[in-house]
Amino acid sequence: MKYCTNCGAENGDENQFCFNCRCDTFGEVPPMAQPIPPGPQPIPPGPMQMPPPMMYQQPAPKPKKPLNIFDLFAILGFVAAIVGMFSASVILHPVSAIASIVGFVGQSRFKALAIAGFVIAIVGGIVFTVISLYRAGYIPEWITDGAFR
C-alpha cells in the first residue's frame, strides 16, 4: 500500500497517481490536476428555514385627555346647530352660535367642530328668519318668486 504524501489517502501499489487528489504518489501535483480546495458546503434541499420573528415592543398608548369645558361647548354648539335645522331654531340657533364661539375662543381640541357649528347656526338662522318674514307678509312674493310656498 502506498500513501499519498499530499493528502494522505491510501492508494494501491499499481496506482501511478493518487485517486483522491490526482497527484503522483511522491507528493508532486501535476499542473492539470490541482486538488480542489474545500469550500463552503452546498445546503441540502429541504424545507426553508424561516428566521425567528422579530419582537417589536409596542409604544405605550398615550393617555387620553379628559374633555374640558371648552370641548363640551364646541360639541354642544355643533349638535345644537344640527338639531336647530330641524326644530326650534328660534332658540337653538342663537344657543349654538354662542356655544360655538365659546368653544372656538377657549382651548378646545375641536375648533373645526366649533367653526362648523357656528356656520350652520348662522346660515340656519338667516334661512329661518327669511322664511318667517315671508310667511308674516313682510317680504313680497315677487322677491322670492314663490320659493317658500
Side-chain angles (χ1 to χ4, degrees):
M1 276 289 152
K2 293 183 197 175
Y3 292 97
C4 178
T5 56
N6 188 34
C7 69
E10 186 178 343
N11 290 289
D13 291 330
E14 66 281 350
N15 288 356
Q16 194 175 11
F17 296 101
C18 175
F19 75 92
N20 187 32
C21 67
R22 304 276 185 205
C23 71
D24 60 7
T25 55
F26 300 107
E28 188 176 321
V29 180
M32 295 299 290
Q34 293 289 332
I36 299 172
Q41 298 295 324
I43 299 173
M48 212 171 148
Q49 295 290 329
M50 297 298 292
M54 299 282 294
M55 300 302 289
Y56 294 105
Q57 185 175 4
Q58 294 287 336
K62 294 180 182 177
K64 292 184 179 181
K65 295 179 187 175
L67 294 176
N68 62 25
I69 189 71
F70 298 111
D71 294 338
L72 295 175
F73 270 110
I75 294 168
L76 172 72
F78 181 75
V79 170
I82 296 296
V83 172
M85 292 297 288
F86 302 105
S87 66
S89 61
V90 173
I91 299 168
L92 290 179
H93 284 304
V95 168
S96 65
I98 293 170
S100 295
I101 290 171
V102 171
F104 181 78
V105 173
Q107 296 297 322
S108 174
R109 293 178 284 180
F110 305 111
K111 289 192 184 281
L113 197 64
I115 291 171
F118 181 75
V119 169
I120 293 170
I122 295 302
V123 170
I126 290 171
V127 168
F128 181 76
T129 303
V130 169
I131 291 173
S132 297
L133 290 174
Y134 174 75
R135 288 182 180 158
Y138 292 112
I139 297 177
E141 189 171 333
W142 60 270
I143 291 178
T144 61
D145 197 23
F148 299 119
R149 286 187 182 178

